[in-house]
Amino acid sequence: MAVREVSLELAAGRVTALMGRNGSGKSSLLWALQGTGRRHSGSVTVGSAASDPSALDPEQRRALVGLVPQTAADLLYLDSVADECAAADATTGSAEGHCRALLDRLTPGIHPATHPRDLSEGQRLSLALAVVLTAAPPVVLLDEPTRGLDYAAKAELARVLRELAAEGRSVLVSTHDVEFVAAVADDVVVLAEGETVSSGPVREVMAQSPAFAPQVTKILGPPWLRVDEVLAARETA
């Protein structure tokens, strides 16, 4: 599905969720923003220098916009987890062990000698995400990042993304996981048939559409989004 007439601004220091049904154009938009997706028209600019990722070489592009695709294995090509992490550290000039530390936060305990193809889907996703985040790009794009992750890993991923935003990065997450969106997002953009049909603060957008509302909102109504908010209100009362 191509996207058309989509105008999107990702603010530094905020997490934006990109939502929509399958075929709505979410992945196409991510690849267009990253710079390798084919564009028939339109432009993408990043930062004060107004750089267009499509005009950069691959290494410069990765340093500017990091993308974790739906198929995480596409980013993994070496023979072991240790090799992938070492290569990520060396390529980005990061301190030795930085990538591995990110991986351990998301999915601890993976043996360093394990071949990436022998990892579970969730473990491969965590490794690919750690590799991308090692470059510390100012813009981070993630395509269905919670797929295959258990509850603990999702919670840790949410913390990582909030920290990236706190550092001043722009984070865009394409996902169907409404509970994850409620936990991590500041803003939401909803696509349908390649066009933007709704956008705004997470509380407003998720309250407007029952299809994208978390369970707490469905039960209690707006402005409630998360269980922790309800528990905090009960304690205060």
Side-chain angles (χ1 to χ4, degrees):
M1 166 61 70
V3 293
R4 53 187 180 274
E5 297 183 11
V6 172
S7 179
L8 177 65
E9 181 175 352
L10 302 178
R14 295 181 74 82
V15 177
T16 302
L18 183 63
M19 306 188 76
R21 301 187 186 282
N22 289 335
S24 61
K26 301 188 301 297
S27 294
S28 296
L29 179 57
L30 289 184
W31 284 106
L33 294 175
Q34 189 263 353
T36 55
R38 186 172 59 178
R39 278 190 252 141
H40 296 290
S41 62
S43 62
V44 176
T45 58
V46 180
S48 58
S51 300
D52 188 331
S54 66
L56 303 176
D57 63 42
E59 186 173 343
Q60 291 174 317
R61 189 183 302 124
R62 285 191 295 269
L64 190 66
V65 180
L67 171 62
V68 179
Q70 284 193 35
T71 307
D74 290 349
L75 297 183
L76 308 174
Y77 58 93
L78 297 177
D79 293 332
S80 71
V81 171
D83 289 343
E84 290 286 357
C85 288
D89 290 338
T91 301
T92 60
S94 300
E96 182 179 351
H98 179 64
C99 180
R100 179 70 210 204
L102 286 171
L103 175 60
D104 284 338
R105 287 190 57 188
L106 293 166
T107 307
I110 298 176
H111 196 282
T114 304
H115 196 288
R117 69 166 174 259
D118 294 328
L119 299 174
S120 69
E121 184 176 26
Q123 289 173 328
R124 282 195 296 271
L125 175 62
S126 294
L127 178 57
L129 180 57
V131 167
V132 168
L133 294 183
T134 299
V139 179
V140 180
L141 313 175
L142 305 100
D143 200 352
E144 296 293 344
T146 63
R147 183 170 46 87
L149 298 184
D150 60 21
Y151 179 81
K154 285 185 184 183
E156 189 57 45
L157 175 60
R159 283 191 285 271
V160 169
L161 297 186
R162 292 307 319 170
E163 288 179 6
L164 291 173
E167 293 169 359
R169 306 185 198 284
S170 302
V171 181
L172 179 63
V173 184
S174 171
T175 182
H176 291 91
D177 191 333
V178 295
E179 306 300 334
F180 185 74
V181 171
V184 74
D186 299 298
D187 306 296
V188 178
V189 175
V190 180
L191 294 183
E193 299 183 355
E195 298 180 344
T196 302
V197 296
S198 181
S199 65
V202 61
R203 293 184 187 279
E204 293 180 10
V205 174
M206 300 191 86
Q208 292 170 358
S209 174
F212 299 115
Q215 289 298 317
V216 170
T217 305
K218 289 180 178 179
I219 294 170
L220 299 179
W224 305 105
L225 278 181
R226 306 186 306 271
V227 172
D228 64 290
E229 295 177 338
V230 179
L231 293 176
R234 288 187 59 185
E235 292 177 0
T236 300

